[in-house]
């Protein structure tokens, strides 16, 4: 019996019963190529027995790679000892307490309080709700609006989705009306008249104009990814982060650094907002790599300044009325602790710094292709932006499926990349070697060459 036959029943159940996230539900149909049944290091295995290099690390999250025995042992040991221990009110459990302490030790000064949840969307909602709670306790209920950047991604729960980039994503579901968008720091798509420092000036002016229009007394917080991930790995221009923070500080607006993707090593730091970009945040959100996705875990770090206010009242009607059944789940936190042990012992952040520079340099060799308009990224996250015309930066019509064509070729060669609109997105496991990174680039180069040839034959170039 073939491997595919072994999994035939499961594939049938998937087709009959599973609603797949972020999918065209009318056309999504799983095959044996799409069902993963094993993983080791940087590789996944599908139901046909194919071994595939996962240059996505799942969804930016399997940072230490698949199949780490130490993680399995830590999860099993904690499950056997105590499978659940809630932390509402005066309750606590050992793994969540220990992990909170270790995360606080890694955080920038003044960020010593940790709220645990199970995903980045919830971590971001927690940050916004905490800002609202802070101002309500101060009798400043009018400070409700939240500012976010167009092209950013902050999650898919109700409020987090509203913070996320516009377009079809917002047309599908309703959004909340407290969110207001400001211009994206998308240097490649900036008008030529706004080159260099002028673009940063424009972005800061847009923030200031938005604050003036809405009124600083009505704005609670501003949320920003240090590098915009799902928006296309957009690296803001130099000086942008610090200047945006300066404007927010002047207007008593909290700054939330969404490090769900950039945290835990992807840029060579456990937290990169301040270390890499000089972005001093009042709250930091973490997820994905915090447990390398071995268990669902996320965290919201809250500044001492905020916590001093939200913890000051002894009024029984002024509790911090926010939490989840699985907040601080002991098994999830045990996974987080084991993940930290591995990252520190193996100097994963140092590895990313050393290997990431060469990986980014090799990716820039892809400019040789006429399909490549821009290559950008830092550390172990990157995007290759594909265009129909390099001079005008015009993109292909969506029906061409340009990124999907490149992705299909890469998959045929044993490489998983992520097609996202006109981008090829890369976020490999942080244990990827320099040699593996070179191979990834070579496969993508082959895909660009094949797709370019096909497009010319079809008269699309």
């Amino acid at each position: 019996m073939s491997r595919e036959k072994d999994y035939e029943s499961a594939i049938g159940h998937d087709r009959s019963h599973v609603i797949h996230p972020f999918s065209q539900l009318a056309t999504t149909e799983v095959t044996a190529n799409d069902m993963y049944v094993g993983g080791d290091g940087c590789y996944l295995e599908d139901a046909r027995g194919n071994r595939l290099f996962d240059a996505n690390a799942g969804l930016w999250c399997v940072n230490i790679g698949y199949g780490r025995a130490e993680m399995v042992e830590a999860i099993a040991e904690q499950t056997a000892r105590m499978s659940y221990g809630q932390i509402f009110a005066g309750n606590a459990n050992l793994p969540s307490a220990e992990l909170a302490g270790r995360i606080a030790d890694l955080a920038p000064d003044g960020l010593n309080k940790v709220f645990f949840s199970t995903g980045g969307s919830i971590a971001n909602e927690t940050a916004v709700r905490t800002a609202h709670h802070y101002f309500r306790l101060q009798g400043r209920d009018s400070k409700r609006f939240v500012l976010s950047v167009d092209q950013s991604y902050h999650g898919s729960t109700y409020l987090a989705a509203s913070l996320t980039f516009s377009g079809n994503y917002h047309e599908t579901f309703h959004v909340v009306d407290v969110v207001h968008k400001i211009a994206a720091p998308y240097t490649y798509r900036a008008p030529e008249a706004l080159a260099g420092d002028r673009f940063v000036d424009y972005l800061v002016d847009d923030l200031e104009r938005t604050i003036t229009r809405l009124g600083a007394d009505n704005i609670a917080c501003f949320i920003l990814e240090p590098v915009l991930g799902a928006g296309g790995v957009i690296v803001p221009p130099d000086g942008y982060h610090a200047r945006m923070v300066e404007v927010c500080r002047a207007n008593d607006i909290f700054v939330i650094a969404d490090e769900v993707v950039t945290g835990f090593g992807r840029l060579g730091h456990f937290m990169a907002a301040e270390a890499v970009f000089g972005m001093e945040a009042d709250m930091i959100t973490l997820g994905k790599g915090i447990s390398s996705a071995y268990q669902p875990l996320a965290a919201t770090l809250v500044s001492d300044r905020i916590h001093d206010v939200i913890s000051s009242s002894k009024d029984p009607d002024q509790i911090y009325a926010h939490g989840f059944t699985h907040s601080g789940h002991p098994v999830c936190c045990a996974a987080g602790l084991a993940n930290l042990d591995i990252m520190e012992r193996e100097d994963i952040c140092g590895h990313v710094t050393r290997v990431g520079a060469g990986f980014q340099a090799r990716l820039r060799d892809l400019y040789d292709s006429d399909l490549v308009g821009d290559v950008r990224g830092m550390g172990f996250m990157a995007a290759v932006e594909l265009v129909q015309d390099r001079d005008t930066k015009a993109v292909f019509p969506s029906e061409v499926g340009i990124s999907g064509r490149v992705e299909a070729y890469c998959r045929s060669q044993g490489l998983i990349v992520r097609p996202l609109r006109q981008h090829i997105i890369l976020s490999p496991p942080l244990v990827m070697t320099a040699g593996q990174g070179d191979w990834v680039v070579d496969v993508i180069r082959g895909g660009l060459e094949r797709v370019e040839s096909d497009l010319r034959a079809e008269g699309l170039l």
Side-chain angles (χ1 to χ4, degrees):
M1 183 178 290
S2 70
R3 291 179 58 89
E4 187 174 349
K5 284 280 188 182
D6 291 343
Y7 295 108
E8 206 168 78
S9 176
I11 292 168
H13 287 315
D14 185 284
R15 291 174 178 171
S16 298
H17 305 297
V18 176
I19 299 175
H20 287 268
F22 285 91
S23 299
Q24 171 47 262
L25 297 181
T27 58
T28 295
E29 185 169 288
V30 167
T31 70
N33 287 336
D34 308 307
M35 179 165 282
Y36 303 121
V37 299
D40 178 61
C42 294
Y43 293 87
L44 284 169
E45 182 181 352
D46 69 22
R48 289 202 172 110
N50 297 310
R51 193 164 183 255
L52 304 161
F53 188 95
D54 181 11
N56 296 339
L59 288 169
W60 322 83
C61 56
V62 189
N63 287 10
I64 60 171
Y66 296 94
R68 302 293 294 250
E70 186 174 340
M71 296 295 293
V72 176
E73 291 165 6
I75 292 166
E77 182 180 333
Q78 179 58 50
T79 304
R81 181 184 300 116
M82 186 179 72
S83 61
Y84 178 75
Q86 62 102 346
I87 62 170
F88 276 37
N91 298 287
N93 67 61
L94 289 173
S96 68
E98 184 179 351
L99 182 58
R102 290 183 66 178
I103 290 173
D105 287 343
L106 295 168
D109 291 343
L111 287 158
N112 291 300
K113 304 297 182 179
V114 182
F115 179 95
F116 287 116
S117 56
T118 54
S121 300
I122 302 172
N124 286 328
E125 296 221 6
T126 295
V128 173
R129 292 195 72 190
T130 300
H132 286 160
H133 185 52
Y134 172 96
F135 289 117
R136 185 181 302 113
L137 289 174
Q138 291 199 325
R140 304 165 70 189
D141 283 1
S142 66
K143 285 180 80 70
R144 301 288 295 161
F145 291 150
V146 183
L147 305 181
S148 70
V149 171
D150 200 19
Q151 301 299 320
S152 62
Y153 182 88
H154 298 292
S156 61
T157 50
Y158 213 107
L159 174 57
S162 302
L163 299 169
T164 291
F165 49 75
S166 306
N168 292 337
Y169 193 58
H170 280 180
E171 292 169 5
T172 304
F173 302 103
H174 293 295
V175 296
V176 299
D177 59 5
V178 298
V179 177
H180 295 266
K181 298 287 176 38
I182 60 174
Y186 196 169
T187 303
Y188 177 65
R189 293 287 171 183
E192 289 185 15
L194 295 177
D197 290 342
R198 285 175 292 180
F199 186 43
V200 178
D201 292 340
Y202 164 79
L203 295 168
V204 173
D205 287 346
D206 186 55
L207 173 61
E208 290 177 331
R209 286 193 300 270
T210 302
I211 293 171
T212 298
R213 175 171 57 85
L214 298 174
D217 288 341
N218 298 318
I219 304 172
C221 52
F222 168 54
I223 187 168
L224 174 69
E225 300 167 276
V227 174
L228 282 62
V233 189
I234 297 170
V235 183
D238 291 345
Y240 168 81
H241 300 83
R243 290 186 63 186
M244 299 296 273
V245 169
E246 183 181 6
V247 172
C248 289
R249 290 276 185 272
N251 289 278
D252 199 15
I253 296 168
F254 288 138
V255 175
I256 302 166
D258 177 350
E259 295 226 53
V260 172
V261 169
T262 58
F264 276 81
R266 192 145 297 280
L267 300 184
H269 296 265
F270 283 103
M271 291 166 225
E274 185 171 338
V276 178
F277 302 102
M279 179 183 173
E280 297 181 2
D282 300 287
M283 288 180 273
I284 296 175
T285 57
L286 301 166
K288 297 188 183 290
I290 192 173
S291 67
S292 288
Y294 278 75
Q295 290 285 287
L297 181 65
T300 304
L301 277 64
V302 177
S303 71
D304 298 344
R305 172 196 169 194
I306 294 173
H307 191 265
D308 286 347
V309 170
I310 66 173
S311 63
S312 62
S313 175
K314 295 182 180 180
D315 183 341
D317 293 328
Q318 294 287 1
I319 69 169
Y320 183 70
H322 179 69
F324 307 93
T325 300
H326 298 298
S327 292
H329 194 292
V331 179
C332 299
C333 290
L337 288 165
N339 182 64
L340 258 180
D341 288 342
I342 291 170
M343 291 192 67
E344 291 177 340
R345 184 178 66 246
E346 298 182 4
D347 187 24
I348 295 292
C349 289
H351 175 78
V352 169
T353 299
R354 292 186 295 272
V355 175
F359 180 54
Q360 296 292 336
R362 278 298 318 276
L363 283 166
R364 281 160 177 75
D365 291 342
L366 298 177
Y367 277 120
D368 290 347
S369 170
D370 288 341
L371 296 179
V372 175
D374 195 27
V375 179
R376 54 184 178 264
M378 298 181 74
F380 271 33
M381 61 187 300
V384 180
E385 183 162 351
L386 307 175
V387 294
Q388 188 169 26
D389 187 309
R390 293 176 70 163
D391 292 332
T392 65
K393 303 180 183 179
V395 299
F396 285 92
S398 59
E399 58 267 23
V400 172
I402 183 62
S403 61
R405 293 182 183 223
V406 177
E407 183 268 343
Y409 173 87
C410 291
R411 177 67 74 112
S412 75
Q413 302 302 304
L415 172 64
I416 300 172
V417 298
R418 187 180 184 188
L420 202 61
R421 300 179 301 280
Q422 72 268 26
H423 303 106
I424 296 296
I425 301 292
L426 301 167
S427 57
L430 307 188
V431 294
M432 180 183 75
T433 66
Q436 289 171 330
D438 288 343
W439 176 80
V440 168
V441 176
D442 288 342
V443 172
I444 295 172
R445 180 192 298 279
L448 292 169
E449 291 172 353
R450 171 69 64 82
V451 171
E452 183 176 346
S453 175
D454 290 348
L455 291 170
R456 292 192 188 283
E458 296 169 30
L460 294 171
L461 277 179

mmCIF file with all atom_site columns, all heavy atoms in Angstrom, residues 60-73:
data_model
loop_
_atom_site.group_PDB
_atom_site.id
_atom_site.type_symbol
_atom_site.label_atom_id
_atom_site.label_alt_id
_atom_site.label_comp_id
_atom_site.label_asym_id
_atom_site.label_entity_id
_atom_site.label_seq_id
_atom_site.pdbx_PDB_ins_code
_atom_site.Cartn_x
_atom_site.Cartn_y
_atom_site.Cartn_z
_atom_site.occupancy
_atom_site.B_iso_or_equiv
_atom_site.pdbx_formal_charge
_atom_site.auth_seq_id
_atom_site.auth_comp_id
_atom_site.auth_asym_id
_atom_site.auth_atom_id
_atom_site.pdbx_PDB_model_num
ATOM 1   N N   . TRP A 1 60 ? 6.123  31.803 9.900  1.00 0.00 ? 60 TRP A N   1
ATOM 2   C CA  . TRP A 1 60 ? 7.110  32.620 10.610 1.00 0.00 ? 60 TRP A CA  1
ATOM 3   C C   . TRP A 1 60 ? 7.397  32.100 12.022 1.00 0.00 ? 60 TRP A C   1
ATOM 4   O O   . TRP A 1 60 ? 7.875  32.870 12.863 1.00 0.00 ? 60 TRP A O   1
ATOM 5   C CB  . TRP A 1 60 ? 6.657  34.075 10.774 1.00 0.00 ? 60 TRP A CB  1
ATOM 6   C CG  . TRP A 1 60 ? 5.924  34.771 9.691  1.00 0.00 ? 60 TRP A CG  1
ATOM 7   C CD1 . TRP A 1 60 ? 4.591  34.710 9.419  1.00 0.00 ? 60 TRP A CD1 1
ATOM 8   C CD2 . TRP A 1 60 ? 6.460  35.709 8.748  1.00 0.00 ? 60 TRP A CD2 1
ATOM 9   N NE1 . TRP A 1 60 ? 4.265  35.543 8.383  1.00 0.00 ? 60 TRP A NE1 1
ATOM 10  C CE2 . TRP A 1 60 ? 5.392  36.179 7.946  1.00 0.00 ? 60 TRP A CE2 1
ATOM 11  C CE3 . TRP A 1 60 ? 7.739  36.227 8.519  1.00 0.00 ? 60 TRP A CE3 1
ATOM 12  C CZ2 . TRP A 1 60 ? 5.560  37.109 6.924  1.00 0.00 ? 60 TRP A CZ2 1
ATOM 13  C CZ3 . TRP A 1 60 ? 7.899  37.160 7.500  1.00 0.00 ? 60 TRP A CZ3 1
ATOM 14  C CH2 . TRP A 1 60 ? 6.831  37.584 6.712  1.00 0.00 ? 60 TRP A CH2 1
ATOM 15  N N   . CYS A 1 61 ? 7.149  30.844 12.321 1.00 0.00 ? 61 CYS A N   1
ATOM 16  C CA  . CYS A 1 61 ? 7.057  30.479 13.735 1.00 0.00 ? 61 CYS A CA  1
ATOM 17  C C   . CYS A 1 61 ? 7.915  29.317 14.206 1.00 0.00 ? 61 CYS A C   1
ATOM 18  O O   . CYS A 1 61 ? 8.243  29.252 15.395 1.00 0.00 ? 61 CYS A O   1
ATOM 19  C CB  . CYS A 1 61 ? 5.599  30.212 14.105 1.00 0.00 ? 61 CYS A CB  1
ATOM 20  S SG  . CYS A 1 61 ? 4.769  28.968 13.101 1.00 0.00 ? 61 CYS A SG  1
ATOM 21  N N   . VAL A 1 62 ? 8.302  28.380 13.359 1.00 0.00 ? 62 VAL A N   1
ATOM 22  C CA  . VAL A 1 62 ? 9.045  27.210 13.828 1.00 0.00 ? 62 VAL A CA  1
ATOM 23  C C   . VAL A 1 62 ? 10.534 27.585 13.872 1.00 0.00 ? 62 VAL A C   1
ATOM 24  O O   . VAL A 1 62 ? 11.360 27.098 13.107 1.00 0.00 ? 62 VAL A O   1
ATOM 25  C CB  . VAL A 1 62 ? 8.789  25.985 12.934 1.00 0.00 ? 62 VAL A CB  1
ATOM 26  C CG1 . VAL A 1 62 ? 9.397  24.720 13.561 1.00 0.00 ? 62 VAL A CG1 1
ATOM 27  C CG2 . VAL A 1 62 ? 7.295  25.768 12.722 1.00 0.00 ? 62 VAL A CG2 1
ATOM 28  N N   . ASN A 1 63 ? 10.870 28.458 14.792 1.00 0.00 ? 63 ASN A N   1
ATOM 29  C CA  . ASN A 1 63 ? 12.186 29.102 14.778 1.00 0.00 ? 63 ASN A CA  1
ATOM 30  C C   . ASN A 1 63 ? 13.334 28.138 15.031 1.00 0.00 ? 63 ASN A C   1
ATOM 31  O O   . ASN A 1 63 ? 14.398 28.253 14.420 1.00 0.00 ? 63 ASN A O   1
ATOM 32  C CB  . ASN A 1 63 ? 12.222 30.247 15.787 1.00 0.00 ? 63 ASN A CB  1
ATOM 33  C CG  . ASN A 1 63 ? 11.411 31.448 15.315 1.00 0.00 ? 63 ASN A CG  1
ATOM 34  O OD1 . ASN A 1 63 ? 10.685 31.358 14.335 1.00 0.00 ? 63 ASN A OD1 1
ATOM 35  N ND2 . ASN A 1 63 ? 11.537 32.561 16.003 1.00 0.00 ? 63 ASN A ND2 1
ATOM 36  N N   . ILE A 1 64 ? 13.175 27.196 15.937 1.00 0.00 ? 64 ILE A N   1
ATOM 37  C CA  . ILE A 1 64 ? 14.280 26.274 16.238 1.00 0.00 ? 64 ILE A CA  1
ATOM 38  C C   . ILE A 1 64 ? 14.205 25.002 15.402 1.00 0.00 ? 64 ILE A C   1
ATOM 39  O O   . ILE A 1 64 ? 14.999 24.076 15.589 1.00 0.00 ? 64 ILE A O   1
ATOM 40  C CB  . ILE A 1 64 ? 14.322 25.907 17.729 1.00 0.00 ? 64 ILE A CB  1
ATOM 41  C CG1 . ILE A 1 64 ? 13.028 25.226 18.166 1.00 0.00 ? 64 ILE A CG1 1
ATOM 42  C CG2 . ILE A 1 64 ? 14.629 27.134 18.583 1.00 0.00 ? 64 ILE A CG2 1
ATOM 43  C CD1 . ILE A 1 64 ? 13.075 24.645 19.573 1.00 0.00 ? 64 ILE A CD1 1
ATOM 44  N N   . GLY A 1 65 ? 13.269 24.946 14.458 1.00 0.00 ? 65 GLY A N   1
ATOM 45  C CA  . GLY A 1 65 ? 13.141 23.788 13.584 1.00 0.00 ? 65 GLY A CA  1
ATOM 46  C C   . GLY A 1 65 ? 12.228 22.718 14.165 1.00 0.00 ? 65 GLY A C   1
ATOM 47  O O   . GLY A 1 65 ? 11.840 22.755 15.333 1.00 0.00 ? 65 GLY A O   1
ATOM 48  N N   . TYR A 1 66 ? 11.892 21.762 13.316 1.00 0.00 ? 66 TYR A N   1
ATOM 49  C CA  . TYR A 1 66 ? 10.968 20.693 13.666 1.00 0.00 ? 66 TYR A CA  1
ATOM 50  C C   . TYR A 1 66 ? 11.686 19.553 14.405 1.00 0.00 ? 66 TYR A C   1
ATOM 51  O O   . TYR A 1 66 ? 12.891 19.356 14.255 1.00 0.00 ? 66 TYR A O   1
ATOM 52  C CB  . TYR A 1 66 ? 10.320 20.119 12.403 1.00 0.00 ? 66 TYR A CB  1
ATOM 53  C CG  . TYR A 1 66 ? 9.462  21.093 11.643 1.00 0.00 ? 66 TYR A CG  1
ATOM 54  C CD1 . TYR A 1 66 ? 9.983  21.840 10.588 1.00 0.00 ? 66 TYR A CD1 1
ATOM 55  C CD2 . TYR A 1 66 ? 8.117  21.263 11.971 1.00 0.00 ? 66 TYR A CD2 1
ATOM 56  C CE1 . TYR A 1 66 ? 9.190  22.734 9.873  1.00 0.00 ? 66 TYR A CE1 1
ATOM 57  C CE2 . TYR A 1 66 ? 7.314  22.155 11.260 1.00 0.00 ? 66 TYR A CE2 1
ATOM 58  C CZ  . TYR A 1 66 ? 7.856  22.885 10.215 1.00 0.00 ? 66 TYR A CZ  1
ATOM 59  O OH  . TYR A 1 66 ? 7.072  23.773 9.521  1.00 0.00 ? 66 TYR A OH  1
ATOM 60  N N   . GLY A 1 67 ? 10.906 18.812 15.194 1.00 0.00 ? 67 GLY A N   1
ATOM 61  C CA  . GLY A 1 67 ? 11.374 17.549 15.742 1.00 0.00 ? 67 GLY A CA  1
ATOM 62  C C   . GLY A 1 67 ? 12.408 17.632 16.836 1.00 0.00 ? 67 GLY A C   1
ATOM 63  O O   . GLY A 1 67 ? 13.191 16.690 17.017 1.00 0.00 ? 67 GLY A O   1
ATOM 64  N N   . ARG A 1 68 ? 12.419 18.711 17.609 1.00 0.00 ? 68 ARG A N   1
ATOM 65  C CA  . ARG A 1 68 ? 13.411 18.839 18.672 1.00 0.00 ? 68 ARG A CA  1
ATOM 66  C C   . ARG A 1 68 ? 12.986 17.996 19.877 1.00 0.00 ? 68 ARG A C   1
ATOM 67  O O   . ARG A 1 68 ? 11.980 18.284 20.542 1.00 0.00 ? 68 ARG A O   1
ATOM 68  C CB  . ARG A 1 68 ? 13.572 20.300 19.091 1.00 0.00 ? 68 ARG A CB  1
ATOM 69  C CG  . ARG A 1 68 ? 13.987 21.250 17.960 1.00 0.00 ? 68 ARG A CG  1
ATOM 70  C CD  . ARG A 1 68 ? 15.392 20.969 17.458 1.00 0.00 ? 68 ARG A CD  1
ATOM 71  N NE  . ARG A 1 68 ? 16.406 21.246 18.438 1.00 0.00 ? 68 ARG A NE  1
ATOM 72  C CZ  . ARG A 1 68 ? 17.275 22.261 18.366 1.00 0.00 ? 68 ARG A CZ  1
ATOM 73  N NH1 . ARG A 1 68 ? 17.234 23.099 17.344 1.00 0.00 ? 68 ARG A NH1 1
ATOM 74  N NH2 . ARG A 1 68 ? 18.188 22.424 19.292 1.00 0.00 ? 68 ARG A NH2 1
ATOM 75  N N   . ALA A 1 69 ? 13.785 16.981 20.184 1.00 0.00 ? 69 ALA A N   1
ATOM 76  C CA  . ALA A 1 69 ? 13.437 16.041 21.257 1.00 0.00 ? 69 ALA A CA  1
ATOM 77  C C   . ALA A 1 69 ? 13.303 16.744 22.601 1.00 0.00 ? 69 ALA A C   1
ATOM 78  O O   . ALA A 1 69 ? 12.442 16.383 23.423 1.00 0.00 ? 69 ALA A O   1
ATOM 79  C CB  . ALA A 1 69 ? 14.488 14.940 21.334 1.00 0.00 ? 69 ALA A CB  1
ATOM 80  N N   . GLU A 1 70 ? 14.125 17.754 22.842 1.00 0.00 ? 70 GLU A N   1
ATOM 81  C CA  . GLU A 1 70 ? 14.074 18.473 24.111 1.00 0.00 ? 70 GLU A CA  1
ATOM 82  C C   . GLU A 1 70 ? 12.721 19.148 24.308 1.00 0.00 ? 70 GLU A C   1
ATOM 83  O O   . GLU A 1 70 ? 12.203 19.212 25.433 1.00 0.00 ? 70 GLU A O   1
ATOM 84  C CB  . GLU A 1 70 ? 15.198 19.504 24.149 1.00 0.00 ? 70 GLU A CB  1
ATOM 85  C CG  . GLU A 1 70 ? 15.350 20.223 25.462 1.00 0.00 ? 70 GLU A CG  1
ATOM 86  C CD  . GLU A 1 70 ? 16.571 21.136 25.491 1.00 0.00 ? 70 GLU A CD  1
ATOM 87  O OE1 . GLU A 1 70 ? 17.494 20.933 24.674 1.00 0.00 ? 70 GLU A OE1 1
ATOM 88  O OE2 . GLU A 1 70 ? 16.594 22.055 26.321 1.00 0.00 ? 70 GLU A OE2 1
ATOM 89  N N   . MET A 1 71 ? 12.140 19.647 23.236 1.00 0.00 ? 71 MET A N   1
ATOM 90  C CA  . MET A 1 71 ? 10.820 20.261 23.328 1.00 0.00 ? 71 MET A CA  1
ATOM 91  C C   . MET A 1 71 ? 9.753  19.220 23.644 1.00 0.00 ? 71 MET A C   1
ATOM 92  O O   . MET A 1 71 ? 8.885  19.438 24.497 1.00 0.00 ? 71 MET A O   1
ATOM 93  C CB  . MET A 1 71 ? 10.486 20.975 22.011 1.00 0.00 ? 71 MET A CB  1
ATOM 94  C CG  . MET A 1 71 ? 11.392 22.143 21.672 1.00 0.00 ? 71 MET A CG  1
ATOM 95  S SD  . MET A 1 71 ? 11.245 23.519 22.844 1.00 0.00 ? 71 MET A SD  1
ATOM 96  C CE  . MET A 1 71 ? 9.584  24.075 22.506 1.00 0.00 ? 71 MET A CE  1
ATOM 97  N N   . VAL A 1 72 ? 9.832  18.100 22.961 1.00 0.00 ? 72 VAL A N   1
ATOM 98  C CA  . VAL A 1 72 ? 8.862  17.025 23.182 1.00 0.00 ? 72 VAL A CA  1
ATOM 99  C C   . VAL A 1 72 ? 8.917  16.562 24.637 1.00 0.00 ? 72 VAL A C   1
ATOM 100 O O   . VAL A 1 72 ? 7.885  16.373 25.292 1.00 0.00 ? 72 VAL A O   1
ATOM 101 C CB  . VAL A 1 72 ? 9.133  15.851 22.226 1.00 0.00 ? 72 VAL A CB  1
ATOM 102 C CG1 . VAL A 1 72 ? 8.181  14.696 22.513 1.00 0.00 ? 72 VAL A CG1 1
ATOM 103 C CG2 . VAL A 1 72 ? 8.999  16.305 20.770 1.00 0.00 ? 72 VAL A CG2 1
ATOM 104 N N   . GLU A 1 73 ? 10.121 16.407 25.151 1.00 0.00 ? 73 GLU A N   1
ATOM 105 C CA  . GLU A 1 73 ? 10.291 15.939 26.528 1.00 0.00 ? 73 GLU A CA  1
ATOM 106 C C   . GLU A 1 73 ? 9.740  16.956 27.529 1.00 0.00 ? 73 GLU A C   1
ATOM 107 O O   . GLU A 1 73 ? 9.087  16.568 28.514 1.00 0.00 ? 73 GLU A O   1
ATOM 108 C CB  . GLU A 1 73 ? 11.772 15.671 26.793 1.00 0.00 ? 73 GLU A CB  1
ATOM 109 C CG  . GLU A 1 73 ? 12.309 14.464 26.028 1.00 0.00 ? 73 GLU A CG  1
ATOM 110 C CD  . GLU A 1 73 ? 13.824 14.415 26.007 1.00 0.00 ? 73 GLU A CD  1
ATOM 111 O OE1 . GLU A 1 73 ? 14.461 15.262 26.689 1.00 0.00 ? 73 GLU A OE1 1
ATOM 112 O OE2 . GLU A 1 73 ? 14.379 13.541 25.316 1.00 0.00 ? 73 GLU A OE2 1
#
